[in-house]
Amino acid sequence: MSVSWWVWAVLMLAIAAMLAVDLFLHRDHHVIGFREAAIWSGVWIAAGLLFGVILWAWQGGDVAGTYYAGYLIEKALSIDNVFVFALIFTYFAVPAALQHKVLFWGVIGALVLRLVFIFVGAELLETFFWTAYVFGAFLIYTGYKMAFRHGEQTPPDRNPVVRLVRKVIPTDPAYHGDKFFARINGKRVATLLFVVLIAVEATDLIFAIDSVAAILAITTSTFIVWTANAFAILGLRSLYFCLAGLLRRFVHLHYGLAVLLAFAGVKLILSETPVGKLPIPVTLGVIVVTITVSIVWSLRSTRSITPDPDAGDGGGRDTAGSPTSTAH
């Protein structure tokens, strides 16, 4: 699928405008409640689905179907991001009013990272056929790890990137309102909020590799891969605040995500064999059925568990201006 430069430009401007509106509406760093998060989640999901309709009218059903398949798998994988974000916010006791700012700039970083990975990955697949086997094997192995080693979590402050930042940049182990940097005793230092942002970005770096590889198994069209990623990522902040209180009930979701990653890996490998690429309707069907089964299975298994009303507060109810806790 060939796309003119001006289409890319319009798309980038539209995404920038949506991010600007989101930033403006949350400039006061208020605590985001479930109702507000649900409304914004609906807005972002509607935007993603509407873009698919535009593609349908512009490029036809096959292209739109490919986009929807990519969008669904990215949206499903983004739920796993939410689990890790909840872990990071709880670990660092991030005040609820500051979480949106961290997620906002985390999304900016995620969009940039994925744009780079998309162009590099697509070019590799187009140039070297054997990279399909490498990416495919990587996805299958990642699916295996997600299914059988999902409970293994590394403390956020032990992340190599976070540790490197703390060694290179002077850091104050406290929050200073919504500032990433503050001046203490005449010296400019990074605040704990900046460390949290680095933890989020470092985590998303890993997720970006998995998710981009998964959608490249569906298509190598950089435009489709990028738009599916972008619209799925744009709603990640709202999704976090919507699902934070329900995360304890998604006990089997990781099995569904593991199946999707393994399926993407097999699909990518088959694309370089006489079997060829699987039809988009088959791909869409597998994605929808897998997500539905894993969510229903989780909810039925946890019917006795009530949502945690304090989830999403980062483990603390401090105001945005409180220089509260330090990392463990």
Side-chain angles (χ1 to χ4, degrees), residues 130-172:
W130 50 266
T131 55
Y133 303 125
V134 176
F135 284 178
F138 169 75
L139 286 170
I140 293 172
Y141 176 66
T142 303
Y144 164 78
K145 286 202 304 179
M146 182 171 288
F148 299 103
R149 300 171 60 186
H150 190 261
E152 298 179 10
Q153 298 285 358
T154 302
D157 68 340
R158 291 180 59 187
N159 183 291
V161 178
V162 174
R163 295 174 68 179
L164 177 63
V165 168
R166 279 183 154 168
K167 286 183 179 180
V168 174
I169 303 176
T171 305
D172 183 64

Side-chain angles (χ1 to χ4, degrees), residues 37-296:
I39 292 173
W40 272 102
S41 290
V43 169
W44 293 123
I45 290 173
L49 296 178
L50 178 60
F51 186 78
V53 174
I54 294 173
L55 280 177
W56 197 305
W58 175 34
Q59 293 287 334
D62 288 344
V63 172
T66 302
Y67 163 79
Y68 280 128
Y71 176 76
L72 283 175
I73 198 169
E74 292 302 316
K75 203 67 175 175
L77 290 173
S78 69
I79 297 177
D80 213 42
N81 290 54
V82 171
F83 279 93
V84 178
F85 292 161
L87 170 68
I88 292 173
F89 288 160
T90 301
Y91 187 87
F92 288 107
V94 182
L98 301 181
Q99 293 176 8
H100 179 274
K101 181 173 183 177
V102 174
L103 291 176
F104 177 86
W105 290 108
V107 164
I108 298 293
L111 290 172
V112 174
L113 282 173
R114 287 163 198 252
L115 187 62
V116 173
F117 287 163
I118 286 166
F119 277 94
V120 172
E123 185 63 28
L124 286 173
L125 288 172
E126 291 288 342
T127 305
F128 306 105
F129 77 92
W130 50 266
T131 55
Y133 303 125
V134 176
F135 284 178
F138 169 75
L139 286 170
I140 293 172
Y141 176 66
T142 303
Y144 164 78
K145 286 202 304 179
M146 182 171 288
F148 299 103
R149 300 171 60 186
H150 190 261
E152 298 179 10
Q153 298 285 358
T154 302
D157 68 340
R158 291 180 59 187
N159 183 291
V161 178
V162 174
R163 295 174 68 179
L164 177 63
V165 168
R166 279 183 154 168
K167 286 183 179 180
V168 174
I169 303 176
T171 305
D172 183 64
Y175 293 106
H176 294 262
D178 64 343
K179 296 178 180 178
F180 288 125
F181 292 90
R183 192 168 294 278
I184 300 177
N185 298 325
K187 186 177 181 181
R188 186 175 175 81
V189 299
T191 68
L192 186 57
L193 195 65
F194 181 75
V195 175
V196 175
L197 176 62
I198 295 301
V200 168
E201 295 286 14
T203 299
D204 194 71
L205 176 63
I206 305 301
F207 281 116
I209 297 173
D210 293 346
S211 63
V212 169
I215 194 172
L216 285 173
I218 298 172
T219 177
T220 55
S221 168
T222 52
F223 185 77
I224 298 299
V225 175
W226 164 244
T227 51
N229 261 275
F231 281 106
I233 289 297
L234 284 174
L236 187 57
R237 298 178 309 286
S238 300
L239 185 67
Y240 169 79
F241 292 106
C242 269
L243 299 182
L246 297 172
L247 292 181
R248 294 185 302 161
R249 297 198 60 186
F250 292 157
V251 293
H252 302 308
L253 181 63
H254 63 283
Y255 290 119
L257 300 180
V259 170
L260 289 181
L261 287 173
F263 171 72
V266 172
K267 187 176 186 299
L268 195 56
I269 292 173
L270 289 178
S271 68
E272 293 297 334
T273 69
V275 175
K277 292 186 176 181
L278 298 179
I280 290 301
V282 173
T283 301
L284 270 171
V286 170
I287 294 172
V288 171
V289 170
T290 302
I291 296 173
T292 302
V293 169
S294 58
I295 290 178
V296 171

Side-chain angles (χ1 to χ4, degrees), residues 292-310:
T292 302
V293 169
S294 58
I295 290 178
V296 171
W297 181 23
S298 295
L299 295 179
R300 287 179 62 86
S301 299
T302 57
R303 280 175 292 186
S304 60
I305 299 178
T306 56
D308 184 0
D310 294 335

